[in-house]
Amino acid sequence: MEQELEILQGTIASVVYQNYDNGYAVLRLNVGGNQSVTVVGTIPLPAVGERLMVTGKWGNHQSYGRQFEAEFLERLMPQTCTEILNYLASRIIKGIGPRMAARIVEHFREETLVVMEREPLRLAEVSGISREKARAIGEEFRLQVGMRQLMEFFALHHLPAELAVRTYKLYGDSTIELLYDDPYLLMDEGLEAPFGAVDRFAIELGVAGDDPRRIEAGILFELNYNLNAGHSFLPEEKLATATAQLLSVEGEAVAQGIARLLEAERLVQDALAGITVIYLPQLYEAETESARMLKAFAASRFPEPHGLDAKVRRVANETGIRYSDEQEQAVRRAATSGLLLVTGGPGTGKTTILNGILELLGQMQLKCLLAAPTGRAAKRLTEVTGEDASTIHRLLEAGIDPETGKMCFVRNADNPLKADVVIVDEMSMVDVQLLHSLLQAIPGNKRVILVGDPDQLPPVGPGFPFSDMLRSGELPSVRLTEIFRQAQQSLIVMNAHRVNRGELPELKVTDSDFFFMRRNSEESVAQTIRDLCTIRLPKNMGIPSDQIQVLSPTRKGGVGTVNLNQLLQASLNPASPDKKEKPFGDYIFREGDRVMQIRNNYDIMWKKLDGTAVGTGIFNGDIGTIAAIDPAAETMIIVFDDREAEYDFTQLSELEPAWAMTVHKSQGSEYRAVILTAWNGSPYLLSRSILYTAITRARELLIIVGREDTVAVMTGNARKNRRYSGLKLRLQGKVG
């Protein structure tokens, strides 16, 4: 017979385990009479002192014994002074620790939580609490209560718990009511909700398969989903077919949905080279406006400065460089061009040219601003030029619009950058939306110099602007092709060019900066990488482990980043009584771990380690080290170069271990030593551009561990995933 549901009521005595991703928790529930039971199930954000009414069944775990498996629960706020004190002392509310909790409860007694919810400013009656802090505590309390209720609602409908946090911040206390009215609000920008889960949720609420809201949500999902594949638009026919398959509906219903969205200006229709295409409005604006501004900058010409020949000679003398014809041409054109593209592979002198251009512009008394897409690329740009460089996001002063809650840039057309010249390195990483924001912030009478290598991987975001600019043939550019004698001594440089030409790299040389180590199993590849990072390179070659970066084309498998990160953490940062840890998902974050931010977060506060500055924003690709974990406060301190930032445990889904990372994630960075895996995998990942990008990440040493035939497959696989991007055609005037 099926076991009947039972109801338990009690107070949380301790939280044994909780998973912030899905809300699963294991806790001890005090059910009265000094009796505690183990309760397991989806119980988002449990806090010691909370009272629960749990409906479920008894089960018997083979390792942990008898436990109550929760199926439904209702939160009952703490009532007695002791329960309220335990609840607040658990640090569930930011800004309240055990001592302050005691003072608050002593003052307000059983009315404490009512005061916090309805009259939070009264908290200022308690010693040590200002009106500002009282207001902040009240807001945090209401947030916690509302968020818990929403997380329970989401859990009931099998929606991700972390989605509840983002949704509540967007819609507040009205969230559930709004979702009953239109469940597809969960597909709004910034929520990153999985369409399948939202669609199931909508159908559970009674939305019909051909409901216009469902059709329109499916169309918008297809376009947004394809942004992740790098597409700025989709041909209308492909969009309609993909949406009809996704929703299992007729094509006519999709056509009507597209027409409604066009009429509501939620989509834009255009024609490129005779094909009808559909854009999201923000992508259409980014692409068309970028093309217009690029052509305007390119049309701008500045008079040749007096004594240009003498200035160029002086630059060569002061830098101690004898320029090739290509390099001298780039330096001279920088003096007169409104827009200049500089491109070339490794060893062709892009850095030399950059320094020469900066020297010349300095002689012309022009103020230059330098930027790059990532923090590491900006740091490297500073190192090679001796000039301050920042990320593009920081250059544009990224932040959150208080009215919309969305990311915005302080620097724009109405508040432009104050500089005569803006120089951006690693342009291959810049997508069309970031390019648009950058160009908007540069006055039309100023100069723009863009430097990069289009043979590297395309940007993570939509479009491939730098490649489009170069291939259009419409913009002033200098392509550096000569490999300088010093660079020719580097097998890293020479093999990178071989790979780029489709030729096999030299793998048999054993006395250079490029090594190949043959291994015949995934296990031996992984073990070799561990030995290289822990023993061989640090002890035999004097390269510390923190200056070694392991790269893999893939996340999965024995030589994927997930497995390698666990292996390297165990060797390079093993568990220790003096290192605090925080389990999260499949990984255990530990003090001393190397971690990477995997999405832009414009809210996270940071401060310089020397106390000279504070700011907001940690961005996709930033790499740091976990300096401290505070389990009681549920926070983590991470140091990113010269800054430190505090993370709440609910933000840990934005972090990944970074002992090993994918080649895609390494773009824009340079490491003293790189170890690359070469093993079987998807043809989409075993490509020439991935091998080329990986090789060019190494400054002093590159080691490939694995199989020669995999290296050969990657070299021969010139296939590039086609991106629907209209920038080249727009620059060429092929619209319509």
Side-chain angles (χ1 to χ4, degrees):
M1 292 181 61
E2 185 176 347
Q3 185 180 348
E4 292 186 2
L5 294 175
E6 295 186 32
I7 297 176
L8 292 182
Q9 185 171 323
T11 303
I12 298 177
S14 65
V15 178
V16 179
Y17 170 81
Q18 61 175 314
N19 185 316
Y20 291 91
D21 275 337
N22 56 26
Y24 181 83
V26 179
L27 49 87
R28 296 290 293 172
L29 192 70
N30 189 334
V31 293
N34 294 322
Q35 181 183 1
S36 292
V37 299
T38 299
V39 177
V40 301
T42 303
I43 308 170
L45 299 178
V48 172
E50 275 192 300
R51 295 177 65 241
L52 302 180
M53 181 180 293
V54 187
T55 303
K57 301 175 182 177
W58 288 101
N60 197 45
H61 193 280
Q62 60 180 5
S63 300
Y64 303 111
R66 193 166 186 256
Q67 55 190 25
F68 193 74
E69 299 168 354
E71 296 189 15
F72 310 100
L73 70 95
E74 180 181 354
R75 294 183 192 265
L76 308 169
M77 294 306 291
Q79 294 179 336
T80 68
C81 287
T82 299
E83 289 175 347
I84 295 171
L85 176 60
N86 289 337
Y87 175 71
L88 295 180
S90 70
R91 299 182 186 270
I92 191 66
I93 307 298
K94 285 183 181 178
I96 300 180
R99 292 183 180 179
M100 184 174 288
R103 293 202 302 272
I104 293 173
V105 175
E106 183 179 0
H107 187 82
F108 293 110
R109 309 296 296 170
E110 288 87 353
E111 297 299 310
T112 295
L113 299 183
V114 175
V115 170
M116 290 176 65
E117 182 178 8
R118 300 178 185 174
E119 302 176 274
L121 291 180
R122 286 191 59 198
L123 292 170
E125 298 172 14
V126 178
S127 173
I129 301 181
S130 64
R131 286 179 62 84
E132 290 75 16
K133 187 164 187 175
R135 183 180 290 107
I137 290 173
E139 290 175 357
E140 178 67 18
F141 179 70
R142 285 195 296 273
L143 173 66
Q144 290 288 341
V145 171
M147 201 153 55
R148 278 172 167 73
Q149 292 173 344
L150 184 60
M151 289 177 88
E152 290 162 16
F153 176 74
F154 273 34
L156 183 64
H157 291 283
H158 307 290
L159 292 168
E162 62 175 4
L163 176 60
V165 178
R166 295 194 292 270
T167 309
Y168 188 83
K169 288 180 179 178
L170 189 61
Y171 296 119
D173 293 333
S174 304
T175 301
I176 294 177
E177 181 181 349
L178 290 170
L179 292 180
Y180 269 115
D181 184 56
D182 184 2
Y184 292 101
L185 287 175
L186 288 174
M187 299 307 302
D188 278 1
E189 181 184 357
L191 293 180
E192 300 176 16
F195 181 80
V198 174
D199 200 37
R200 286 191 297 272
F201 167 60
I203 291 170
E204 284 178 14
L205 296 186
V207 174
D210 59 353
D211 188 295
R213 294 172 299 177
R214 182 171 186 257
I215 302 292
E216 292 169 17
I219 294 166
L220 294 171
F221 165 74
E222 281 292 344
L223 282 168
N224 277 290
Y225 177 79
N226 277 282
L227 294 183
N228 297 324
H231 300 307
S232 299
F233 63 84
L234 287 180
E236 184 170 7
E237 185 178 343
K238 285 185 177 291
L239 173 62
T241 300
T243 306
Q245 291 176 345
L246 173 74
L247 303 178
S248 299
V249 296
E250 296 296 326
E252 179 58 29
V254 176
Q256 293 174 3
I258 291 174
R260 289 192 300 270
L261 290 169
L262 288 170
E263 185 177 356
E265 298 183 348
R266 298 177 70 188
L267 295 179
V268 177
Q269 187 182 71
D270 202 356
L272 290 171
I275 299 174
T276 302
V277 298
I278 301 292
Y279 287 85
L280 293 167
Q282 65 270 28
L283 268 299
Y284 180 77
E285 180 184 7
E287 194 173 272
T288 55
E289 282 297 292
S290 291
R292 181 189 65 78
M293 289 185 284
L294 286 168
K295 287 194 281 190
F297 279 116
S300 178
R301 291 287 186 273
F302 293 88
E304 184 175 293
H306 177 72
L308 177 59
D309 290 342
K311 284 183 168 62
V312 172
R313 284 195 300 271
R314 192 182 315 145
V315 167
N317 290 334
E318 292 183 2
T319 57
I321 300 284
R322 182 178 178 181
Y323 292 121
S324 67
D325 291 342
E326 292 173 339
Q327 290 179 316
E328 183 173 334
Q329 179 192 18
V331 173
R332 295 179 68 91
R333 292 181 72 174
T336 58
S337 300
L339 173 69
L340 181 64
L341 313 179
V342 180
T343 183
T348 58
K350 291 196 299 297
T351 298
T352 300
I353 283 305
L354 204 47
N355 282 318
I357 288 173
L358 284 169
E359 180 67 28
L360 175 63
L361 297 176
Q363 290 184 24
M364 295 169 61
Q365 297 185 328
L366 298 177
K367 180 184 177 183
C368 300
L369 289 176
L370 276 68
T374 66
R376 285 190 166 257
K379 182 180 179 183
R380 177 168 162 261
L381 186 57
T382 297
E383 291 170 351
V384 299
T385 63
E387 303 288 339
D388 288 337
S390 69
T391 64
I392 298 173
H393 283 83
R394 291 200 176 90
L395 181 72
L396 300 180
E397 300 177 33
I400 296 295
D401 186 327
E403 293 185 5
T404 65
K406 296 181 179 180
M407 189 278 289
C408 67
F409 291 114
V410 173
R411 295 292 179 179
N412 51 39
D414 298 323
N415 182 29
L417 294 166
K418 307 251 186 302
D420 300 302
V421 188
V422 175
I423 301 175
V424 182
D425 196 14
E426 294 287 354
M427 269 299 298
S428 65
M429 296 182 65
V430 176
D431 64 43
V432 70
Q433 290 176 294
L434 187 55
L435 173 68
H436 177 226
S437 298
L438 174 68
L439 295 175
Q440 278 186 310
I442 304 174
N445 60 344
K446 304 302 181 184
R447 309 168 198 236
V448 183
I449 299 174
L450 307 177
V451 184
D453 181 352
D455 294 318
Q456 291 185 23
L457 290 168
V460 174
F464 199 171
F466 194 58
S467 177
D468 283 350
M469 288 183 238
L470 291 166
R471 290 186 300 116
S472 74
E474 299 294 323
L475 304 177
S477 64
V478 175
R479 182 180 293 272
L480 305 174
T481 58
E482 181 181 343
I483 304 173
F484 287 88
R485 183 174 300 174
Q486 183 178 359
Q488 290 178 14
Q489 308 307 309
S490 167
L491 196 54
I492 291 174
V493 170
M494 300 310 293
N495 272 343
H497 284 279
R498 286 189 182 101
V499 167
N500 207 26
R501 295 192 299 265
E503 301 170 8
L504 286 174
E506 174 57 65
L507 300 180
K508 296 180 180 179
V509 175
T510 58
D511 59 351
S512 185
D513 56 4
F514 188 114
F515 294 87
F516 175 76
M517 303 180 73
R518 182 187 300 107
R519 295 295 182 269
N520 297 318
S521 69
E522 287 186 316
E523 293 77 12
S524 61
V525 170
Q527 293 302 322
T528 298
I529 289 173
R530 184 193 66 180
D531 293 344
L532 286 167
C533 291
T534 57
I535 301 172
R536 297 192 194 183
L537 297 187
K539 292 186 177 180
N540 299 341
M541 301 191 68
I543 302 177
S545 58
D546 62 359
Q547 296 180 28
I548 304 167
Q549 184 59 59
V550 176
L551 301 181
S552 174
T554 180
R555 293 175 54 86
K556 299 177 181 179
V559 296
T561 58
V562 173
N563 184 61
L564 289 174
N565 270 311
Q566 293 175 343
L567 183 72
L568 291 170
Q569 183 199 42
S571 300
L572 296 170
N573 190 36
S576 169
D578 62 345
K579 293 178 184 176
K580 296 186 180 67
E581 299 180 344
K582 172 59 191 173
F584 190 86
D586 296 328
Y587 192 76
I588 297 175
F589 288 106
R590 182 176 298 142
E591 290 176 342
D593 272 355
R594 185 191 302 175
V595 293
M596 173 189 287
Q597 177 78 12
I598 60 171
R599 66 172 66 104
N600 291 336
N601 188 319
Y602 306 95
D603 287 331
I604 295 180
M605 295 285 298
W606 56 261
K607 63 181 180 181
K608 286 286 188 73
L609 294 176
D610 60 8
T612 57
V614 297
T616 60
I618 301 294
F619 303 112
N620 185 11
D622 285 353
I623 294 177
T625 301
I626 299 175
I629 296 175
D630 188 339
E634 297 191 341
T635 59
M636 184 182 291
I637 301 296
I638 301 176
V639 175
F640 296 92
D641 294 325
D642 61 345
R643 299 167 295 137
E644 70 173 24
E646 182 179 278
Y647 281 67
D648 187 275
F649 281 178
T650 59
Q651 297 171 311
L652 297 188
S653 61
E654 299 182 8
L655 294 172
E656 280 186 356
W659 304 106
M661 69 178 70
T662 62
V663 178
H664 281 88
K665 289 290 186 182
S666 73
Q667 283 181 269
S669 299
E670 187 179 73
Y671 310 96
R672 185 176 174 188
V674 167
I675 303 171
L676 173 67
T677 67
W679 201 254
N680 296 336
S682 165
Y684 292 103
L685 297 175
L686 299 183
S687 69
R688 183 183 301 171
S689 58
I690 284 184
L691 179 57
Y692 175 77
T693 300
I695 293 172
T696 55
R697 297 310 89 204
R699 184 170 68 249
E700 294 182 19
L701 179 67
L702 181 101
I703 302 175
I704 299 180
V705 185
R707 299 168 50 150
E708 294 104 321
D709 58 348
T710 299
V711 176
V713 166
M714 296 179 79
T715 304
N717 182 8
R719 179 174 61 185
K720 295 182 179 179
N721 293 338
R722 181 184 177 189
R723 290 187 168 208
Y724 289 115
S725 169
L727 184 60
K728 184 186 82 165
L729 295 173
R730 294 185 189 282
L731 290 171
Q732 295 173 331
K734 297 179 180 178
V735 180

